[in-house]
C-alpha cells in the first residue's frame, strides 16, 4: 500500500527537505503528491517539478491553503512532512492535525514544552501518528546496541558519554549572504539556544534510542565563542540517567575540522559498546577481560530489530538517507495500521514523546546555564 504525502518547506536548495524526500522514497511506502516547498512562487513550482509532483494545482502558495484543500479532497494526503525552521513547526503541525492529517516533523518538534504537549493531546484525541525525525535513531547498529543492553551483554550501565562536534557555523559565517539566511542565529527565533537545540537534541534522542534510558537531571555549561552571536556555540552537559548512572554530552558547532562526528560510548559493569557515525555499520563491543570485537550490520548474529533496519549485504555501507528511510518506513506502517483500525502505536520510531523529551532537555539546559551551572531536574 502506497500512502500519499505532502511537504511543507524543503525547497529553494534546503538540505533537509531533500533528505526527507529521499528518506520517504527509500522507505517505500509513500509518494509525494503535493507541497508548499518555498514562499517563492517560481522556485515552489521548480521544486515540485524536480521532485515529481504531477498535478500543478497541488503546489500551494502557503501551508494554510494546502491543509484546507488536501483535507477536502477524496484523494487527499495521508500525512504531511514538515521541514521548515523550528519556530514554525507548531502552527503548521497543529493545523494539519486539526484537519485529521498525520504528521512527521523535523526536530526539535516545537519551541516550547507547552506547544509539544498540545500537539500530543491533539494527535491522541484524533488517533493520529506523529513522527519526529531524529535521524540517528534510524541506524541499524544503534538498535543492535539497545538489543544487547537489554539482553544483559554489558551488565548494568554505569556511564554514558556522547558527542557531536562540527564546524558548520564558522564555515557559514565566512559568507555574508549565507549568514543573512541563517535563522538559527537570530535570538528572537532561537528562544535561548543555538548549539544545544540544533545538535544537542540529537544526542539526547540517541542516548534513549541506544540504551532505553532517559535523562533525569542536567548540569549545563554554555560557551559563547562568536562575539556578535549571543547564543551558545559549544555546550557541555553533565547527565544523570534514569537508572542512576551518570553521563556527559558535548555538542559543538565551532569544532574546527570536525564534520558530523557523532559518537556514543556506553559503559557497563561487564562490558562496553561504542558506535561512531563515521563507521555506522560497525559496533565496538568489549567484554571485561576478553578481546575487543567489532560487530558488522546485517550479520546473522545481530538482533531482529537491527536486521530489520539493514538493507544491503554486510560490508556495503548504508548511511544517512537509509537512516531516514528506516524512520519513514516505520512511521508509514504505523499510519497504515491506524487506517486499518489500530488505536495505538504499533511500530517503533521517534514519536511526539521523543519530541517532548527533546524540548524539555533544552529548557533544562538553558535554565541550568542561566542559574550558574546548577543541577536541574527534567
Amino acid at each position: 500500500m502506497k500512502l500519499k504525502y505532502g511537504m511543507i518547506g524543503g525547497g529553494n536548495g534546503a538540505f533537509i527537505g531533500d533528505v526527507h524526500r529521499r528518506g520517504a522514497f527509500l522507505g517505500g511506502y509513500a509518494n509525494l503528491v503535493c507541497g508548499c516547498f518555498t514562499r517563492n512562487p517560481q522556485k515552489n513550482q521548480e521544486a515540485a517539478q524536480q521532485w515529481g509532483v504531477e498535478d500543478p494545482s497541488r503546489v500551494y502558495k502557503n501551508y494554510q491553503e494546502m491543509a484546507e484543500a488536501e483535507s477536502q479532497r477524496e484523494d487527499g494526503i495521508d500525512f504531511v512532512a514538515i521541514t521548515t525552521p523550528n519556530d514554525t513547526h507548531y502552527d503548521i503541525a497543529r493545523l494539519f492535525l486539526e484537519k485529521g492529517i498525520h504528521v512527521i516533523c523535523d526536530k526539535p518538534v516545537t519551541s516550547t514544552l507547552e506547544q509539544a504537549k498540545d500537539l500530543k493531546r491533539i494527535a491522541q484525541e484524533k488517533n493520529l501518528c506523529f513522527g519526529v525525525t531524529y535521524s540517528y535513531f534510524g541506524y541499524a547498529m544503534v538498535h543492535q546496541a539497545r538489543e544487547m543492553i537489554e539482553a544483559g551483554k554489558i551488565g548494568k550501565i554505569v556511564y554514558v558519554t556522547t558527542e557531536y562536534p562540527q564546524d558548520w557555523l564558522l564555515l557559514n559565517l565566512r559568507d555574508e549572504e549565507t549568514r543573512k539566511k541563517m535563522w538559527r542565529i537570530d535570538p528572537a527565533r532561537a528562544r535561548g539556544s543555538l548549539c544545544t537545540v540544533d545538535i544537542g537534541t540529537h544526542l539526547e534522542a540517541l542516548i534513549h534510542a541506544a540504551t532505553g534510558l532517559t535523562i533525569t537531571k542536567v548540569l549545563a555549561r554554555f560557551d559563547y565563542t562568536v562575539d556578535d552571536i549571543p547564543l551558545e556555540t559549544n555546550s557541555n552537559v553533565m547527565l544523570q540517567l534514569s537508572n542512576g548512572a551518570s553521563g556527559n554530552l558535548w555538542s559543538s558547532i565551532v569544532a574546527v575540522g570536525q564534520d558530523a562526528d557523532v559518537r556514543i560510548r556506553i559503559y557497563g559493569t561487564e562490558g562496553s559498546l561504542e558506535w561512531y557515525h563515521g563507521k555506522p555499520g560497525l559496533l565496538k563491543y568489549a567484554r571485561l577481560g576478553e578481546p575487543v570485537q567489532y560487530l558488522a550490520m546485517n550479520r546473522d548474529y545481530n538482533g531482529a530489530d537491527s536486521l530489520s533496519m539493514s538493507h544491503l549485504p554486510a560490508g556495503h555501507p548504508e548511511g544517512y538517507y537509509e537512516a531516514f528511510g528506516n524512520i519513514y518506513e516505520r512511521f508509514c506502517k504505523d499510519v497504515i495500521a491506524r487506517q486499518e483500525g489500530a488505536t495505538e502505536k504499533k511500530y517503533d520510531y521517534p514519536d511526539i514523546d521523543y519530541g517532548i523529551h527533546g524540548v524539555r532537555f533544552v529548557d533544562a539546559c538553558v535554565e541550568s546555564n542561566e542559574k550558574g551551572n546548577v543541577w536541574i531536574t527534567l
Side-chain angles (χ1 to χ4, degrees), residues 143-162:
H143 290 259
Q144 177 63 21
R146 175 75 170 266
E147 290 180 283
M148 292 174 69
I149 289 167
E150 291 178 347
K153 296 294 185 180
I154 64 170
K156 180 183 177 181
I157 295 174
V158 294
Y159 188 76
V160 177
T161 180
T162 184

Side-chain angles (χ1 to χ4, degrees), residues 273-307:
L273 294 163
E274 179 178 343
W275 181 79
Y276 170 51
H277 188 226
K279 296 182 178 180
L282 296 178
L283 181 66
K284 181 180 178 181
Y285 173 42
R287 288 280 297 179
L288 186 63
E290 298 179 11
V292 172
Q293 303 177 51
Y294 286 87
L295 309 182
M297 66 183 298
N298 214 6
R299 291 291 193 183
D300 290 343
Y301 51 68
N302 290 325
D305 197 29
S306 174
L307 290 172

Side-chain angles (χ1 to χ4, degrees), residues 329-344:
E329 179 179 347
R330 293 181 175 200
F331 170 78
C332 288
K333 285 182 176 179
D334 210 35
V335 170
I336 293 170
R338 299 294 177 98
Q339 293 178 342
E340 293 176 346
T343 57
E344 59 183 20

Side-chain angles (χ1 to χ4, degrees), residues 157-269:
I157 295 174
V158 294
Y159 188 76
V160 177
T161 180
T162 184
E163 61 185 50
Y164 195 154
Q166 56 180 191
D167 59 6
W168 75 261
L169 179 66
L170 296 178
L171 291 172
N172 280 274
L173 290 177
R174 287 181 169 184
D175 182 76
E176 188 59 34
E177 289 303 312
T178 301
R179 179 178 180 133
K180 291 177 182 178
K181 300 175 183 178
M182 291 168 59
W183 53 267
R184 287 182 175 85
I185 66 174
D186 181 355
R189 304 184 69 178
R191 299 188 64 86
S193 177
L194 171 54
C195 178
T196 311
V197 75
D198 185 38
I199 58 177
T201 48
H202 272 303
L203 298 180
E204 181 270 336
L206 176 59
I207 288 173
H208 181 62
T211 70
L213 302 176
T214 57
I215 297 171
T216 58
K217 294 177 70 174
V218 299
L219 188 156
R221 155 74 185 264
F222 289 177
D223 298 320
Y224 304 82
T225 63
V226 179
D227 291 341
D228 58 345
I229 297 179
L231 298 166
E232 94 283 4
T233 54
N234 194 77
S235 175
N236 281 287
V237 187
M238 295 174 62
L239 311 171
Q240 180 174 303
L241 302 175
S242 52
N243 74 334
S246 60
N248 181 71
L249 184 155
W250 170 49
S251 56
S252 178
I253 51 177
V254 290
V256 175
Q258 302 290 332
D259 299 315
D261 290 336
V262 180
R263 190 184 302 269
I264 184 168
R265 298 182 179 95
I266 307 159
Y267 297 96
T269 54

Side-chain angles (χ1 to χ4, degrees), residues 23-59:
F25 174 78
L26 290 174
Y29 284 84
N31 289 325
L32 181 64
V33 299
C34 72
C36 174
F37 306 104
T38 173
R39 287 172 291 186
N40 182 304
Q42 180 180 344
K43 293 186 180 297
N44 195 18
Q45 289 290 340
E46 289 175 356
Q49 292 174 9
Q50 181 180 358
W51 290 351
V53 176
E54 297 179 354
D55 185 349
S57 71
R58 298 179 80 171
V59 184

